[in-house]
């Protein structure tokens, strides 16, 4: 596992394991435990995923069994839209922390740029200063919303977790984050398995040069741009494959070849579409909650 240093000096693993849409508590515990055994140290959940307790149970067990120490783990969770606002965010944080059964959270993110996220941010700043959170950040913040928050808050977000994969590079968003000292982190680094990513000809061709699969090539490409990633799998062989990306690096010419895959927009979620905001806020879509893997 390799780490990256956040603006506040905290070390964050470059690769993490996410548990989106894994609502079955027993399965979630099992996958997290298996991921720890493979070597994953960063875990990404959210209040909206409905599985913080299962993640907490699994982590408690691996710590008790001596497989890993708490200080070797990096646990991320997120504040949902309905809990924005200063007081509500403090309460929601405490609920998440208790479900995760941890004394502190490594990274707490404002999940969506909706509702009173300035109030939420003030709560996060307070919790950070009290030592209950080691790093604070946001998710799904566009370059302009992120800039506004950075320039109008006492403590800047240390991370912005957004969609980034070979079909959506987000170069401008990354440039803005770098200028602001915010670490980019990718969700759906495998494009949620869409667009036949695992048999994509360009990824396969590049991967072949290093003896790696299309999935490994896609993941490594983000790491090579110093973008932290959280990926998900419910299969042991895939979890192992996704973790086996430390012994190669894409050449400059291969990185150039990746440019042809960039669509420049998302086919998963268009945050520029006001209907998406409406649906999120009205809870008509909360993909995190709906699906059960
Ligand atoms: N902040 C946000 O708003 C937000 C939004 C979305 C996601 N996230 C986070 O990011 C994490 C990852 O994103 P994601 O789960 O949406 O998508 P993803 O990691 O891009 O893709 C997951 C899909 O890829 C498959 N897969 C994984 N490794 C594979 C391999 N080596 N070969 C073939 N198939 C493979 C998985 O199927 P199998 O189970 O069959 O392996 C699964 O269907 C989430 O779990 C969550 O923690 C955050």
């Amino acid at each position: 596992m390799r780490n990256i240093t956040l603006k506040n000096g905290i070390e964050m693993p470059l690769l993490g394991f996410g548990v989106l849409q894994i609502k079955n508590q027993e399965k979630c515990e099992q996958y997290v435990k298996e991921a720890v055994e493979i070597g994953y140290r960063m875990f990404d959940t959210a209040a909206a995923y409905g599985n913080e307790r299962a993640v907490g149970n699994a982590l408690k067990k691996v710590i008790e069994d001596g497989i890993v120490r708490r200080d070797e783990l990096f646990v991320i969770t997120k504040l949902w839209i309905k809990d924005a606002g200063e007081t509500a965010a403090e309460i929601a944080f405490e609920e998440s922390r208790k479900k995760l059964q941890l004394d502190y959270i490594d990274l707490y993110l404002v999940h969506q740029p909706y509702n009173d996220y300035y109030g939420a941010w003030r709560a996060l700043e307070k919790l950070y200063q009290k030592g209950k959170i080691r790093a604070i950040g946001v998710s799904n913040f566009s370059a302009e919303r992120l800039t506004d928050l950075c320039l109008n808050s006492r403590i800047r977000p240390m991370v912005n977790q957004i969609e980034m994969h070979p079909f959506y590079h987000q170069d401008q968003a990354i440039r803005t984050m770098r200028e602001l000292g915010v670490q980019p982190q990718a969700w759906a680094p495998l494009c949620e398995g869409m667009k036949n990513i695992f048999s994509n000809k360009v990824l396969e061709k590049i991967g072949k040069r290093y003896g790696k699969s299309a999935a490994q090539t896609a993941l490594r490409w983000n790491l090579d741009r110093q973008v932290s990633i959280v990926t998900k799998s419910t299969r042991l062989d895939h979890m192992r494959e996704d973790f086996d990306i430390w012994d190669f690096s894409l050449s400059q010419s291969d990185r150039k070849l990746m440019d042809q895959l960039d669509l420049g927009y998302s086919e998963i979620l268009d945050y520029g579409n006001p209907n998406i905001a409406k649906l999120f806020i009205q809870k008509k879509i909360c993909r995190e909650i709906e699906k059960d893997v």
Side-chain angles (χ1 to χ4, degrees):
M1 179 56 70
R2 307 236 175 98
N3 293 337
I4 200 148
T5 309
L6 303 183
K7 192 80 178 160
N8 66 343
I10 295 289
E11 297 268 303
M12 179 175 81
L14 268 172
L15 170 65
F17 185 82
V19 292
L20 170 75
Q21 293 167 341
I22 307 177
K23 286 273 306 213
N24 180 303
Q25 304 295 302
E26 276 167 31
K27 282 191 190 159
C28 183
E29 278 189 48
Q30 176 200 326
Y31 301 144
V32 170
K33 198 165 168 285
E34 286 169 350
V36 171
E37 281 162 356
I38 288 167
Y40 290 87
R41 293 294 175 260
M42 178 160 74
F43 292 88
D44 181 74
T45 182
Y49 298 177
N51 54 20
E52 286 171 312
R53 189 168 299 284
V55 172
N57 288 345
L59 296 181
K60 190 168 176 230
K61 181 113 185 38
V62 289
I63 294 168
E64 280 171 4
D65 290 350
I67 297 168
V68 75
R69 292 193 317 268
R70 168 65 184 100
D71 64 1
E72 291 172 314
L73 293 170
F74 193 96
V75 182
I76 309 171
T77 193
K78 315 184 193 83
L79 176 84
W80 191 238
I81 301 166
K82 73 174 173 50
D83 297 315
E86 202 165 338
T87 310
E90 279 191 66
I91 294 167
F93 168 79
E94 200 47 27
E95 275 173 19
S96 288
R97 189 192 65 74
K98 280 190 185 145
K99 283 185 185 155
L100 283 160
Q101 304 154 67
L102 299 169
D103 292 337
Y104 63 89
I105 301 298
D106 295 277
L107 175 62
Y108 194 46
L109 304 176
V110 174
H111 202 151
Q112 305 287 355
Y114 306 134
N115 200 356
D116 180 12
Y117 60 81
Y118 266 91
W121 190 252
R122 283 192 295 277
L124 265 63
E125 287 177 328
K126 225 190 283 174
L127 291 160
Y128 170 71
Q129 284 179 320
K130 282 187 190 162
K132 300 219 169 214
I133 313 171
R134 294 175 70 225
I136 51 178
V138 293
S139 180
N140 301 309
F141 272 53
S142 64
E144 64 273 25
R145 286 210 183 195
L146 183 69
T147 303
D148 180 46
L149 182 62
C150 282
L151 300 185
N152 284 300
S153 51
R154 276 184 308 129
I155 304 171
R156 288 185 180 190
M158 289 134 206
V159 172
N160 185 19
Q161 186 186 101
I162 61 171
E163 178 189 345
M164 280 183 275
H165 46 73
F167 307 117
Y168 193 26
H169 292 204
Q170 299 255 40
D171 291 334
Q172 179 56 53
I174 293 176
R175 267 195 298 278
T176 303
M177 287 188 232
R178 299 268 182 237
E179 279 166 27
L180 295 166
V182 179
Q183 171 62 40
Q185 185 170 63
W187 62 254
L190 295 170
C191 193
E192 300 193 338
M194 288 164 60
K195 295 186 73 63
N196 293 321
I197 187 169
F198 305 116
S199 53
N200 179 275
K201 291 283 162 276
V202 175
L203 294 172
E204 279 186 340
K205 191 174 161 200
I206 296 173
K208 220 168 163 194
R209 284 198 260 280
Y210 308 92
K212 297 289 176 184
S213 67
Q216 290 169 319
T217 306
L219 297 176
R220 182 71 218 193
W221 163 77
N222 252 326
L223 297 192
D224 284 343
R225 338 190 269 172
Q226 297 297 297
V227 168
S228 164
I229 54 179
V230 280
T231 188
K232 180 192 77 184
S233 176
T234 56
R235 283 178 45 165
L236 254 182
D237 55 343
H238 290 167
M239 285 185 207
R240 289 204 183 100
E241 183 180 326
D242 298 348
F243 192 76
D244 183 19
I245 54 172
W246 306 108
D247 58 350
F248 77 115
S249 196
L250 268 60
S251 68
Q252 210 174 344
S253 54
D254 283 338
R255 283 209 297 275
K256 193 93 198 106
L257 284 179
M258 294 290 290
D259 290 347
Q260 65 190 285
L261 297 180
D262 187 14
L263 296 172
Y265 61 88
S266 168
E267 286 194 347
I268 299 179
L269 263 183
D270 175 10
Y271 273 90
N273 179 350
N275 284 328
I276 293 291
K278 215 186 282 176
L279 292 170
F280 262 126
I281 293 160
Q282 293 169 346
K283 262 182 111 181
K284 291 215 173 114
I285 49 163
C286 178
R287 298 168 323 121
E288 281 93 340
I289 291 164
E290 276 164 10
K291 215 163 144 190
D292 188 4
V293 177

